[in-house]
Amino acid sequence: MKNYLRKSLVLLLALMMTAMSVISVAASQATSFTYTLDDEQKYVRTQDAYLPDRTITNLGLVNPNDILFDDNNNMYIADTGNKRIVIYNIDSEKVVKILDDATVKKQNPAFPGFSSPKGLFRSHDGDLYVADAEAMAVYRFSANLVFKKKYAKPTAVIFADTNYKPTKVAVDTGNNLYVVSEGVYAGIIQMAETGEFLGYFASNKTKLTPQQRFLKLIYNKEQQKNSELLNTTPPPFENIYVDKDGTAYSVSTGDGTDMLKKHSTKGTNMYTGDVISTQSMTDVTTDSDGIIYTSDKEGYITAYTTAGELIFQLGAKVDNVSISGLFQNLTTIAIDNKNNIWTADGETSYLQSFRPTEYANTIFKALKEYENGEYTEALGDWNYVLRLNQMSVLAHNGVAKAYYNNEEYKKAMKDYEIAGNREGYSLAFWEVRNKIIQKYIGPFLVAVVCLILLKLVVGLIDKKKRIKRFRRKMVQRILRLPIIGEIGYAFRCARHPIERYYEIRVGRHGSVISATIIYIIFFAVYMWYQTGKGFIYQYTDVEDMDIGAIVVGFFAILILFIICNFLVTSITDGDGTLKQVYMIPAYGLMPLMFAMIATIVCSYGLTYNESFILTVIMVIGTVWTIATIFNGLSTIHDYDFSGTVLSLIITFIFMLISAIVVLIIIILSDQLFSFITTVGKEIIRNVTGQA
């Protein structure tokens, strides 16, 4: 009987093990997509960077507003709704200690008590700081969690009228406090360890819109004060964090490209460029490698490099449901000792962790290797990331930087171009260009000297100027050709506009056909200018352009100008005919046309630092063309300077009115067509009886 039972038990265990071996273990799945930026700074979906891991709902939290970790993986939770601080060890999954009025006063009866603890911070010496908004104080506890000090409202005269309701707090290596307070728009309050008010560490600036600037010009002080459109209150700071090196980070609520800041010791923003961020960020923190993480009350978690480059973004907002990895009100974010992300939902009052995937870990590893100067290792990891996601802009930037530091500049240029990084491309191109110049400067100078010598020899041989006369004769013969000669006449107009336009006025030169050809050539050059510049200066992709609209717009404006100017000058005693008015702009376009061609050519050989050269070329070409056309109109219509200016002003006003009238006609025509179509359908339906 015993043997029978033993055999049965063994058989049962074997069957259980067999069944367990074929049952798949459910892995954590992403409940939201992960996004990164493409080369046009638009969000695109990428591989999952983090997966939801642990969800903690059994701590009895109510409206948790802040969390942080110590070196032992103890999580400090600002349990705002319960007026307490909960210390929870995520490894043992046990509550280590609870700081509330009863437990704190037991060790130090002088403790005033919690009212609304919303912000937490542990200093470099282990002291815990708690920002309590309703108590209007910051509380300081020792490393063993004994109450030490209360930081009440500073007594400085300059601070007397300032609201003091601390919601967040951070402390630097010198034990100076940085306090974010409700209703304080002047900036982040800075206090010494003694509680003395030191001033505002950092402040946000208001950026006026064009409409606000205009209103400020026309409104008096009373109107400016009462106007809602002129509300110039700066975005409020939402949170402050100081890392182990003493560098401060802040997040603000609002719309802008500086809502995430990395501060210098003077409080200025170290990020000089735009930083992509959300509009309602709630918290900011960093991990041991300097990667920056922010949370947003809309449920978004965003990771940045130390330089403020967006790595990826995940998460989302849900309403009235509880889904692991999604949030109703994401209030805070922290990183544990294993680089897992921990968050808290202030609405559902649960804690949620995320573990990084291989994709995220490889990116972090490559970033760290690059920061440490291990460029070869970083290159290998970035190439691995590209195998996972071929269009990762971050990876292409990483590869390009690694190539650049390994002095492989041509390869760096290729990846910088894919990543859309024009500044990096410019740096790599400068190195490549420098090598080309060093290689060919000698042969180039020799060629120049040879050409100079050849010219001198020809001059000595051709003492009777036969070659020069023959060259001039051939040029004149070409210019006598009907169309080519008239097109070439445009070059002479650019050099001597008054004399040459007078010849057009009296009918000696110029034709409608040649002017039309010049317009077509100019438009072709303009389109080339819009789409054909070098990568550094080419910001518009052909696929993003509405070619049809550009063609119609260009020629519509041209025709509208010609017709309006002719009509205006006919009324104001101008002498020019419609044919002459049509030809004048064409024969004045050569300087701008060649400026665009020169800009296109030079854009392939200049770096960012030399962009002023292209600006100068375009300014010269534009001013030259405007001056030439102005002189042409003045000559054709026999106006003085003031008369020409007045006619042009009236012309542009007439063009604007005409455009508005045409727009109104188009809108009314669409409405009329829609009305007729509706009536027609109704008649057909009534006659035929069909719906």
Side-chain angles (χ1 to χ4, degrees):
M1 186 65 178
K2 291 182 179 179
N3 290 335
Y4 177 79
L5 291 173
R6 188 182 297 112
K7 290 180 180 179
S8 299
L9 183 60
V10 170
L11 180 61
L12 180 61
L13 290 172
L15 290 172
M16 290 176 63
M17 293 179 66
T18 302
M20 290 175 65
S21 66
V22 297
I23 296 174
S24 60
V25 179
S28 298
Q29 298 296 320
T31 52
S32 66
F33 297 137
T34 299
Y35 293 90
T36 188
L37 296 176
D38 63 9
D39 57 342
E40 296 181 353
Q41 298 295 290
K42 296 179 180 178
Y43 284 102
V44 291
R45 187 181 169 187
T46 185
Q47 277 80 358
D48 294 328
Y50 281 85
L51 297 175
D53 192 16
R54 296 162 60 183
T55 305
I56 300 175
T57 61
N58 60 351
L59 296 180
L61 304 175
V62 178
N63 190 23
N65 266 274
D66 206 358
I67 57 176
L68 60 83
F69 284 91
D70 64 13
D71 296 334
N72 298 317
N73 253 3
N74 291 319
M75 184 196 301
Y76 293 70
I77 309 164
D79 189 6
T80 306
N82 289 321
K83 301 179 182 180
R84 63 180 184 169
I85 309 299
V86 178
I87 297 120
Y88 175 80
N89 186 272
I90 62 172
D91 295 330
S92 65
E93 299 184 352
K94 293 181 180 179
V95 175
V96 176
K97 192 171 184 177
I98 293 178
L99 295 180
D100 56 16
D101 291 357
T103 58
V104 177
K105 287 182 178 181
K106 187 176 181 180
Q107 292 180 308
N108 189 340
F111 178 59
F114 290 123
S115 297
S116 178
K118 290 187 175 182
L120 300 174
F121 192 83
R122 289 186 78 251
S123 63
H124 67 286
D125 53 9
D127 283 5
L128 176 67
Y129 293 77
V130 181
D132 194 315
E134 295 302 322
M136 294 186 289
V138 174
Y139 298 127
R140 180 179 180 181
F141 296 83
S142 64
N144 56 359
L145 302 178
V146 176
F147 174 66
K148 290 176 63 174
K149 185 178 178 63
K150 173 185 176 181
Y151 292 91
K153 182 177 180 178
T155 57
V157 176
I158 194 175
F159 200 79
D161 297 329
T162 303
N163 192 38
Y164 186 69
K165 282 191 172 183
T167 56
K168 304 297 176 184
V169 62
V171 182
D172 64 17
T173 53
N175 283 337
N176 295 308
L177 280 71
Y178 303 90
V179 180
V180 175
S181 176
E182 288 182 7
V184 176
Y185 297 95
I188 298 171
I189 301 166
Q190 185 177 16
M191 295 189 294
E193 185 177 7
T194 59
E196 178 188 359
F197 177 62
L198 300 178
Y200 293 102
F201 173 68
S203 59
N204 285 324
K205 296 180 180 179
T206 301
K207 297 179 180 178
L208 297 179
T209 64
Q211 181 186 12
Q212 288 175 323
R213 292 194 186 98
F214 176 73
L215 292 178
K216 287 200 74 173
L217 289 174
I218 63 175
Y219 279 7
N220 56 37
K221 291 184 178 180
E222 187 65 25
Q223 288 175 318
Q224 291 181 20
K225 183 179 179 181
N226 297 327
S227 174
E228 293 183 2
L229 292 173
L230 285 177
N231 182 10
T232 56
T233 303
F237 284 97
E238 191 67 27
N239 216 322
I240 180 77
Y241 174 79
V242 177
D243 65 16
K244 62 181 184 300
D245 298 322
T247 302
Y249 303 82
S250 69
V251 290
S252 304
T253 301
D255 188 12
T257 56
D258 60 348
M259 295 297 101
L260 168 64
K261 295 185 178 69
K262 182 178 182 179
H263 298 278
S264 66
T265 54
K266 296 181 179 179
T268 56
N269 188 9
M270 296 169 66
Y271 295 140
T272 55
D274 295 343
V275 176
I276 305 297
S277 60
T278 55
Q279 297 182 359
S280 52
M281 290 187 290
T282 56
D283 200 1
V284 58
T285 189
T286 63
D287 63 16
S288 57
D289 296 322
I291 302 297
I292 306 167
Y293 302 83
T294 64
S295 60
D296 182 279
K297 71 178 181 181
E298 297 297 322
Y300 297 111
I301 297 169
T302 311
Y304 300 87
T305 67
T306 56
E309 299 172 283
L310 188 144
I311 304 175
F312 38 66
Q313 185 179 94
L314 65 147
K317 183 179 176 64
V318 292
D319 293 320
N320 303 321
V321 292
S322 296
I323 301 176
S324 177
L326 304 180
F327 304 92
Q328 294 185 37
N329 181 20
L330 178 53
T331 57
T332 183
I333 188 169
I335 311 298
D336 67 18
N337 295 346
K338 296 179 182 178
N339 276 351
N340 296 312
I341 293 177
W342 283 83
T343 58
D345 192 312
E347 189 69 28
T348 60
S349 298
Y350 69 73
L351 304 175
Q352 177 67 54
S353 72
F354 297 82
R355 56 181 174 83
T357 62
E358 181 185 11
Y359 174 69
N361 283 329
T362 305
I363 290 176
F364 293 150
K365 183 170 177 283
L367 289 170
K368 184 177 180 180
E369 287 167 343
Y370 179 81
E371 290 293 329
N372 293 335
E374 301 169 359
Y375 304 122
T376 303
E377 292 79 1
L379 182 60
D381 285 325
W382 282 126
N383 281 321
Y384 178 72
V385 173
L386 285 177
R387 286 199 294 273
L388 297 175
N389 182 3
Q390 186 62 35
M391 295 310 296
S392 172
V393 171
L394 187 70
H396 279 294
N397 265 320
V399 168
K401 290 176 182 178
Y403 277 136
Y404 182 86
N405 285 281
N406 284 335
E407 299 184 0
E408 298 180 71
Y409 302 117
K410 287 186 177 180
K411 292 182 178 179
M413 287 171 58
K414 179 181 177 182
D415 281 280
Y416 274 134
E417 184 172 359
I418 295 174
N421 188 336
R422 290 174 170 78
E423 292 183 8
Y425 183 95
S426 177
L427 293 173
F429 174 69
W430 189 91
E431 298 288 350
V432 172
R433 188 186 66 178
N434 191 41
K435 288 184 178 181
I436 294 174
I437 291 174
Q438 291 178 355
K439 182 178 180 180
Y440 293 105
I441 187 65
F444 175 77
L445 292 176
V446 170
V448 171
V449 172
C450 290
L451 288 174
I452 294 173
L453 292 175
L454 179 62
K455 184 177 181 180
L456 293 174
V457 170
V458 170
L460 292 174
I461 295 174
D462 188 30
K463 293 183 178 180
K464 295 184 178 181
K465 308 294 182 181
R466 293 179 179 177
I467 296 176
K468 185 176 182 179
R469 285 197 299 269
F470 175 77
R471 185 176 69 247
R472 183 180 297 174
K473 186 177 181 181
M474 292 301 297
V475 171
Q476 290 176 350
R477 183 176 297 177
I478 293 173
L479 292 178
R480 289 194 190 99
L481 296 174
I483 301 300
I484 296 177
E486 295 298 342
I487 294 174
Y489 189 76
F491 294 96
R492 300 167 69 182
C493 288
R495 289 184 295 169
H496 306 287
I498 297 177
E499 297 175 8
R500 303 310 173 195
Y501 278 123
Y502 179 78
E503 293 180 351
I504 293 176
R505 178 184 176 184
V506 297
R508 295 177 186 172
H509 288 285
S511 68
V512 173
I513 296 176
S514 60
T516 303
I517 293 173
I518 292 174
Y519 283 133
I520 295 172
I521 294 173
F522 178 82
F523 180 75
V525 171
Y526 171 76
M527 292 302 298
W528 183 26
Y529 173 80
Q530 291 294 324
T531 61
K533 295 187 288 294
F535 169 71
I536 295 176
Y537 299 98
Q538 184 60 45
Y539 294 97
T540 306
D541 294 329
V542 178
E543 56 268 22
D544 295 333
M545 299 177 64
D546 189 344
I547 304 298
I550 294 175
V551 173
V552 173
F554 177 85
F555 288 103
I557 292 173
L558 176 63
I559 293 171
L560 189 61
F561 173 81
I562 292 169
I563 293 174
C564 290
N565 185 261
F566 172 71
L567 294 176
V568 168
T569 54
S570 297
I571 297 172
T572 55
D573 299 327
D575 294 338
T577 64
L578 180 60
K579 174 183 176 181
Q580 292 170 341
V581 173
Y582 177 81
M583 291 189 292
I584 293 303
Y587 282 93
L589 289 174
M590 284 300 174
L592 181 57
M593 186 188 304
F594 277 90
M596 288 191 290
I597 294 173
T599 299
I600 295 168
V601 174
C602 292
S603 69
Y604 286 91
L606 299 178
T607 65
Y608 251 145
N609 295 333
E610 297 145 352
S611 61
F612 72 93
I613 296 176
L614 302 185
T615 303
V616 170
I617 292 173
M618 286 303 299
V619 168
I620 291 174
T622 303
V623 172
W624 194 345
T625 288
I626 292 174
T628 303
I629 295 175
F630 184 89
N631 282 321
L633 293 172
S634 177
T635 303
I636 291 298
H637 296 302
D638 196 19
Y639 285 155
D640 56 11
F641 179 84
S642 59
T644 306
V645 171
L646 181 61
S647 70
L648 287 174
I649 292 174
I650 299 174
T651 297
F652 289 127
I653 294 174
F654 194 14
M655 288 175 64
L656 180 61
I657 295 173
S658 302
I660 294 173
V661 170
V662 170
L663 184 61
I664 293 173
I665 292 173
I666 292 173
I667 294 173
L668 292 177
S669 299
D670 289 340
Q671 292 179 349
L672 179 62
F673 178 78
S674 178
F675 173 74
I676 294 173
T677 303
T678 304
V679 172
K681 290 180 179 179
E682 186 68 25
I683 293 173
I684 293 172
R685 185 163 50 247
N686 292 333
V687 172
T688 62
Q690 296 179 354

